[in-house]
Amino acid sequence: VQADEVDGRLLQFEGGLSVTSVVLTGASALAAKLKKPLPLTGEQAVKFANYLLSRKSVQQPKGALHLLEGIESMTGNAQFTPLTVSLASSLAVSSDSPNVQISVTDLKGNSAGDLKVSVISATHVQTDKVVASNVQLKKAGDVYQLDLMALKPAAGFYELVVSAVPAKANAKIVGNKDIKLSVKVLTKMAVNNAELKVIDSDGSTEGRTMALSYPGKEGKALSLSNKKKIQLTFSVQDTVAGSKMLVHQAFVKVANLKSAAEIVYVAEADSNKVYKFELDLGSDAAEFKASGKYSLSLILGDAVVSNPISWLVADLDLELGEAAAAGEPGPFQPKPEIKHLFREPEKRPPQLVSTVFTALCLAPFLLLLLLWIKLGANISNFSFSLSTLGFHVGLGAIFTLYFYFWLQLNMFETIRYLALIGLVTFICGNSLLAGIAKKNK
């Protein structure tokens, strides 16, 4: 039986957990009985262990049994004993919770014995800066502990490379070196140098500036017309590092106090890490739909910040006039009626032109009648039999049907009538021709 490798990390036999567990259990029992080692390397044992641990979420009792049997075959007196190195503490580390706790056990969660656990390196993922190397961890109960915040790391994500070496050399221990764990260091932020400025849209006056202090709110509601523009500037301070920082989420929310309708804008930062938001009530009045009382709030957040901010900055009393009513209807308002404009029929020609054209169409038939009269048409051989009358009447009916098709009938109605008339005409015409042929013999 050949094992398949997955992503360079896992080894499994075709058939999944049940087959892999049966093969590992049977091979281990056979090797113990024969007192011979398995044809298995330490690296392969680690990959089999990784596969078993990846199936910890099995739902069926049968799957759980196979999982436990497979794990049992790789612990205790097994040829190799893979270790699991994992975080026993939260992924996030902050000044309030500065310690990283690491658990080292066998696959069953039992103690792995006396170990020397150390962090080979702690690297800041964004900058690749190594903040610590070869730091031995202190044992605290059943876990090993590192005060990561004592290293004064910058906020962000870190990759820890951990090794757990037995105090006494043990060749059976595998999977205990260069284990990579991810943690993130959280910081706290504060809003500094916040200012709210109200100016004219045309820039004719300097306006007025109000200094803001988080988490306080501007004392008076600001009365603004559609000829005003408001500007909000601020910077975000990393209180741990003591420097300015950029955050992933910086929003300014304007909400109607009566309807609770919200409009959210993005605050952009410049090269000096100063955020600025500007709202022109003249050009953007259509977004608000109506005048009234609004609130202006600042929302800040980041994956490495432990104290997201939602700050009510000020209340606004907007008088937008007719500009707000000119906007497009909201998503829950009826849309304007769609009126289709069909192509207008072409102008009919004058009646004189139509009359002349009709006369020209009838001229050949009239000419035919005149020539018959002048030459003397011989109709003495015309037979008034049923087949003769039926054929000529049917032929005339077909021409009459074409005439009505031109006037009022559609194609399907014409085909239906033509099928009936054509059948009678065909039968009468066939009988007429047969009679003429018989008479000429």
Side-chain angles (χ1 to χ4, degrees):
V1 182
Q2 181 178 352
D4 300 323
E5 188 174 72
V6 181
D7 295 335
R9 295 182 56 255
L10 310 177
L11 268 179
Q12 68 172 36
F13 291 103
E14 185 176 354
L17 177 60
S18 59
V19 176
T20 303
S21 175
V22 169
V23 173
L24 291 177
T25 304
S28 299
L30 180 61
K33 186 70 174 179
L34 299 177
K35 297 182 180 180
K36 291 184 178 181
L38 289 171
L40 185 71
T41 65
E43 182 181 359
Q44 291 172 336
V46 171
K47 292 181 179 180
F48 276 121
N50 288 339
Y51 173 72
L52 293 175
L53 293 179
S54 71
R55 300 299 307 273
K56 290 190 298 184
S57 60
V58 291
Q59 303 295 324
Q60 301 297 327
K62 180 181 178 181
L65 175 62
H66 286 304
L67 176 62
L68 293 175
E69 288 179 343
I71 289 176
E72 182 68 30
S73 68
M74 305 191 74
T75 56
N77 296 322
Q79 181 175 329
F80 293 105
T81 303
L83 299 184
T84 62
V85 181
S86 59
L87 284 176
S89 59
S90 171
L91 173 70
V93 179
S94 64
S95 57
D96 297 329
S97 179
N99 295 323
V100 176
Q101 294 180 340
I102 297 176
S103 172
V104 183
T105 64
D106 63 10
L107 297 186
K108 294 170 64 176
N110 296 327
S111 174
D114 189 13
L115 301 171
K116 292 182 180 179
V117 181
S118 59
V119 174
I120 304 304
S121 65
T123 307
H124 190 249
V125 175
Q126 286 82 357
T127 61
D128 289 333
K129 180 181 179 181
V130 178
V131 298
S133 59
N134 298 320
V135 178
Q136 187 168 343
L137 307 187
K138 298 179 180 180
K139 191 169 184 179
D142 295 332
V143 298
Y144 297 86
Q145 188 167 280
L146 169 67
D147 187 355
L148 186 60
M149 296 305 293
L151 304 175
K152 297 182 179 179
F157 290 86
Y158 287 81
E159 182 181 81
L160 306 183
V161 180
V162 181
S163 290
V165 181
K168 294 182 180 180
N170 187 349
K172 294 175 59 177
I173 300 297
V174 293
N176 58 324
K177 295 181 179 180
D178 298 331
I179 308 302
K180 295 180 180 180
L181 302 175
S182 295
V183 297
K184 67 176 178 178
V185 175
L186 301 181
T187 187
K188 293 185 177 181
M189 64 179 174
V191 180
N192 290 343
N193 304 320
E195 290 184 347
L196 184 62
K197 190 173 184 180
V198 179
I199 57 177
D200 292 334
S201 298
D202 56 7
S204 59
T205 61
E206 294 184 359
R208 57 192 180 102
T209 303
M210 291 146 282
L212 304 172
S213 178
Y214 174 78
K217 184 181 76 169
E218 174 63 23
K220 296 182 180 180
L222 303 178
S223 298
L224 305 172
S225 67
N226 56 4
K227 297 182 179 180
K228 297 293 184 180
K229 181 189 299 184
I230 57 176
Q231 292 179 350
L232 176 64
T233 58
F234 61 93
S235 61
V236 182
Q237 185 82 6
D238 185 337
T239 59
V240 177
S243 59
K244 292 181 180 179
M245 66 177 294
L246 298 177
V247 293
H248 290 164
Q249 298 173 335
F251 302 125
V252 177
K253 180 179 71 175
V254 181
N256 189 299
L257 297 180
K258 183 178 180 180
S259 65
E262 299 177 350
I263 305 175
V264 179
Y265 301 92
V266 178
E268 302 286 350
D270 59 17
S271 58
N272 296 321
K273 297 183 179 181
V274 175
Y275 285 88
K276 182 178 180 180
F277 163 72
E278 184 173 280
L279 177 62
D280 190 337
L281 296 177
S283 60
D284 300 330
E287 298 183 6
F288 294 91
K289 310 303 179 188
S291 303
K293 296 185 180 298
Y294 290 79
S295 64
L296 180 69
S297 302
L298 177 63
I299 301 173
L300 302 175
D302 196 279
V304 295
V305 169
S306 60
N307 62 327
I309 291 175
S310 180
W311 176 21
L312 177 58
V313 176
D315 290 329
L316 308 177
D317 188 1
L318 304 184
E319 183 58 44
L320 304 176
E322 298 180 358
E328 297 181 357
F332 303 107
Q333 296 179 356
K335 299 295 188 293
E337 181 184 357
I338 300 176
K339 296 182 179 180
H340 296 281
L341 180 62
F342 295 96
R343 188 181 69 175
E344 295 183 0
E346 297 180 1
K347 187 178 180 181
R348 295 176 65 87
Q351 187 175 0
L352 177 62
V353 175
S354 300
T355 304
V356 171
F357 180 77
T358 303
L360 291 176
C361 292
L362 296 176
F365 181 69
L366 297 176
L367 179 61
L368 177 63
L369 294 178
L370 292 175
L371 291 175
W372 279 354
I373 294 172
K374 184 177 180 180
L375 296 176
N378 183 11
I379 58 173
S380 60
N381 291 329
F382 185 82
S383 174
F384 289 92
S385 64
L386 180 62
S387 59
T388 304
L389 294 176
F391 173 73
H392 288 86
V393 171
L395 192 62
I398 290 175
F399 286 116
T400 304
L401 181 62
Y402 286 159
F403 176 74
Y404 277 98
F405 171 63
W406 182 46
L407 289 180
Q408 63 184 40
L409 296 179
N410 58 42
M411 182 177 64
F412 299 101
E413 293 173 334
T414 304
I415 292 175
R416 185 167 64 248
Y417 295 135
L418 182 61
L420 298 175
I421 299 173
L423 179 62
V424 174
T425 305
F426 171 78
I427 294 174
C428 293
N430 185 61
S431 178
L432 176 62
L433 291 175
I436 295 175
K438 183 178 180 181
K439 184 178 179 181
N440 293 334
K441 284 184 179 181

